[in-house]
Amino acid sequence: MLNIKDIMETVHMIQDDNLDIRTITMGISLLDCCDTDIDRSCDKVYDKICRLAGKLVKTGEEISELYGIPIINKRVSVTPIAMLAASSGGDPVKYAKALDRAAHEIGVNFIGGYSALVHKGFASGDRELIRSIPEALSETELICSSVNVGTTKAGINMDAVAMMGETVLQAAKLTADRNCIGPAKLVVFCNAPEDNPFMAGAFHGIGEPDCVINVGVSGPGVVRAALTKHPEADLNCVADIIKKTAFKITRMGQLVGTEASRRLGVPFGIVDLSLAPTPAVGDSVAHILEEMGLEVCGIHGTTAALALLNDAVKKGGVMASSNVGGLSGAFIPVSEDAGMIDAARSGDLRIEKLEAMTSVCSVGLDMIVIPGDTPAEIISAIIADEAAIGMVNSKTTAVRVIPAIGKDVGEELEFGGLLGSGPVMKINLDRSPAKFISRGGRIPAPIQALKN
């Protein structure tokens, strides 16, 4: 039962600690929109999205007003478009434009699912969609794209990895006049979840219902504020504080998701309890790690502190909802986290440390700006390294790097809004992995029975 103390505590979290619902995302299956004529298929896609998600934004605003809870984004995710392209043939960019038109019509912030799942090989439509991603991202505004190149059970499709290095670089070049925004909306996954509500990696998995509501919560500022009240607590107590705070955050997400499901008449899917930072002061995962006792994020001890945080968030969240899913943990997107931005600028946070951190947190190398003259094979190698971490550790990992065309290490790239800004980070350009990447084929799945 709620009491006045609980209510006032939540009000304080919202007003002072940047607590919010980061997104309500409606997942929509487009399998019944397949057609041998691509134009008819695109019309079906547009009509179905507008019909099912037409009231999504209004509903989110009504729930926000009713409960006084900020709901920052309303989004849509759809069936991987490569599956539709396999049926229709033709130029997949037509689907991107239909999705973008629908997103503008219903008023959502982003629409995800311009995607392909190629972890074990290429099916019909996959290569065509991947090749079209740079053009699709350059000619639309609200489209997000993702490609899954590996899983723990399938291994890593290195032919796809090689393609994605070229794709990321080309997406940056085609949007160079817009601060290289293209690759900021493109994620390369290993072990991609089918119910992720967060962009840019959201898509509606083939095992999902026809339509579903997923909720993504946030709250790094709330966790940090809770820790500031216990500056001398040992790490057992720190973990307990984080668990209790994550429980409260997740309960709010459960409430919003249940109400949105009821009002829209579609099933409630999951709460993704990830701590998703923003560039706003006081809303940083890096600052939580520093509150634990690190002088700055990125120094020795950062991976251990992040492991504690990620585990405690999950333990607290799963007690608050029986529908936890998606990514769920702590995000470390450099350009979207004020503390990460500062640490990267000072040189304390390097890409090698970020890679180590991805072994214990959600997602992976996220929103990292790299030099614009980075060769495609090095981008592919970064993707391969991160996919290997996900594959071997049976977890989701991803890469979202942005080659800053015309910029070098230390210069800044500004996106604005939730995407933030970030310094161009130094990576090793002196030696080439080109021969390794050009071998192609597949890195076999790791053995599971003898894992230790």
Side-chain angles (χ1 to χ4, degrees):
M1 180 179 293
L2 292 175
N3 57 43
I4 293 296
K5 180 181 178 182
D6 291 333
I7 294 170
M8 293 308 298
E9 183 178 37
T10 302
V11 170
H12 174 72
M13 288 177 177
I14 293 170
Q15 291 181 341
D16 301 331
D17 301 328
N18 298 300
L19 178 61
D20 59 51
I21 297 295
R22 185 54 47 85
T23 180
I24 296 178
T25 301
M26 177 179 282
I28 300 174
S29 172
L30 300 181
L31 292 177
D32 57 351
C33 298
C34 292
D35 197 294
T36 54
D37 183 296
I38 190 170
D39 295 319
R40 281 200 304 264
S41 182
C42 287
D43 288 342
K44 292 178 182 179
V45 165
Y46 175 84
D47 291 342
K48 184 169 186 180
I49 292 171
C50 291
R51 173 169 54 85
L52 293 178
K55 296 181 180 179
L56 177 63
V57 172
K58 180 182 178 183
T59 299
E61 291 170 349
E62 289 173 350
I63 294 172
S64 180
E65 183 176 353
L66 175 65
Y67 293 116
I69 300 169
I71 300 175
I72 306 303
N73 294 295
K74 297 86 181 177
R75 298 163 170 169
V76 168
S77 63
V78 299
T79 305
I81 291 298
M83 300 176 70
L84 278 70
S87 297
S88 65
D91 183 2
V93 176
K94 288 186 176 183
Y95 283 112
K97 292 180 178 179
L99 293 172
D100 196 53
R101 188 160 54 95
H104 278 95
E105 175 63 26
I106 62 179
V108 294
N109 306 95
F110 286 114
I111 186 164
Y114 198 75
S115 307
L117 310 179
V118 295
H119 38 275
K120 206 168 184 178
F122 299 96
S124 177
D126 290 336
R127 291 181 188 272
E128 291 76 8
L129 184 125
I130 291 173
R131 292 191 186 102
S132 75
I133 288 173
E135 181 183 356
L137 294 176
S138 70
E139 296 190 5
T140 60
E141 183 181 358
L142 303 179
I143 296 300
C144 290
S145 180
S146 61
V147 176
N148 192 66
V149 298
T151 69
T152 296
K153 290 187 176 181
I156 302 171
N157 181 349
M158 290 300 292
D159 294 317
V161 169
M163 285 187 73
M164 291 312 301
E166 297 280 359
T167 300
V168 169
L169 188 56
Q170 185 65 13
K173 289 178 178 178
L174 289 184
T175 56
D177 60 335
R178 285 165 282 165
N179 292 321
C180 305
I181 190 68
K185 296 186 289 181
L186 171 59
V187 178
V188 187
F189 274 118
C190 178
N191 290 321
E194 294 191 339
D195 54 4
N196 165 30
F198 285 102
M199 299 297 169
F203 64 88
H204 188 68
I206 59 174
E208 294 288 300
D210 188 61
C211 187
V212 69
I213 286 291
N214 297 318
V215 173
V217 299
S218 185
V222 178
V223 174
R224 184 192 184 193
L227 291 177
T228 59
K229 299 173 185 175
H230 304 274
E232 303 303 322
D234 67 20
L235 293 179
N236 282 329
C237 291
V238 166
D240 197 47
I241 292 165
I242 295 170
K243 283 190 292 184
K244 291 176 180 177
T245 307
F247 178 91
K248 296 170 185 175
I249 295 170
T250 307
R251 289 299 288 174
M252 189 175 74
Q254 176 82 15
L255 171 67
V256 169
T258 302
E259 182 65 16
S261 170
R262 184 186 68 80
R263 290 180 178 231
L264 292 166
V266 299
F268 173 41
I270 58 96
V271 178
D272 186 317
L273 51 92
S274 297
L275 295 181
T278 73
V281 175
D283 201 24
S284 163
V285 169
H287 289 161
I288 298 175
L289 305 181
E290 291 165 5
E291 193 64 45
M292 290 185 192
L294 301 176
E295 186 172 345
V296 63
C297 179
I299 63 173
H300 297 299
T302 299
T303 306
L306 183 59
L308 184 156
L309 172 63
N310 202 61
D311 180 66
V313 165
K314 292 184 179 184
K315 286 175 177 173
V318 296
M319 293 298 293
S321 172
S322 57
N323 298 304
V324 171
L327 295 161
S328 290
F331 289 176
I332 52 171
V334 175
S335 79
E336 298 176 8
D337 185 305
M340 298 280 178
I341 294 169
D342 290 340
R345 284 174 179 157
S346 68
D348 293 292
L349 183 63
R350 301 178 178 87
I351 194 166
E352 293 83 5
K353 187 61 177 178
L354 282 162
E355 184 177 292
M357 292 163 67
T358 64
S359 65
V360 299
C361 76
S362 296
V363 196
L365 296 173
D366 197 14
M367 288 302 290
I368 295 172
V369 185
I370 61 176
D373 60 351
T374 303
E377 59 268 20
I378 288 183
I379 299 173
S380 294
I382 292 171
I383 293 169
D385 283 344
E386 196 60 28
I389 291 173
M391 176 185 70
V392 171
N393 290 285
S394 301
K395 69 181 295 291
T396 300
T397 52
V399 172
R400 185 164 46 148
V401 294
I402 301 98
I405 306 302
K407 295 183 182 293
D408 205 348
V409 175
E411 296 184 76
E412 297 273 330
L413 197 60
E414 176 72 42
F415 302 109
L418 286 176
L419 295 178
S421 64
V424 179
M425 298 185 71
K426 179 179 174 58
I427 63 174
N428 186 357
L429 300 177
D430 297 331
R431 298 287 187 269
S432 175
K435 184 175 180 180
F436 174 69
I437 298 300
S438 67
R439 285 180 179 270
R442 188 151 52 96
I443 294 179
I447 191 168
Q448 298 294 301
L450 300 179
K451 189 174 181 181
N452 56 30

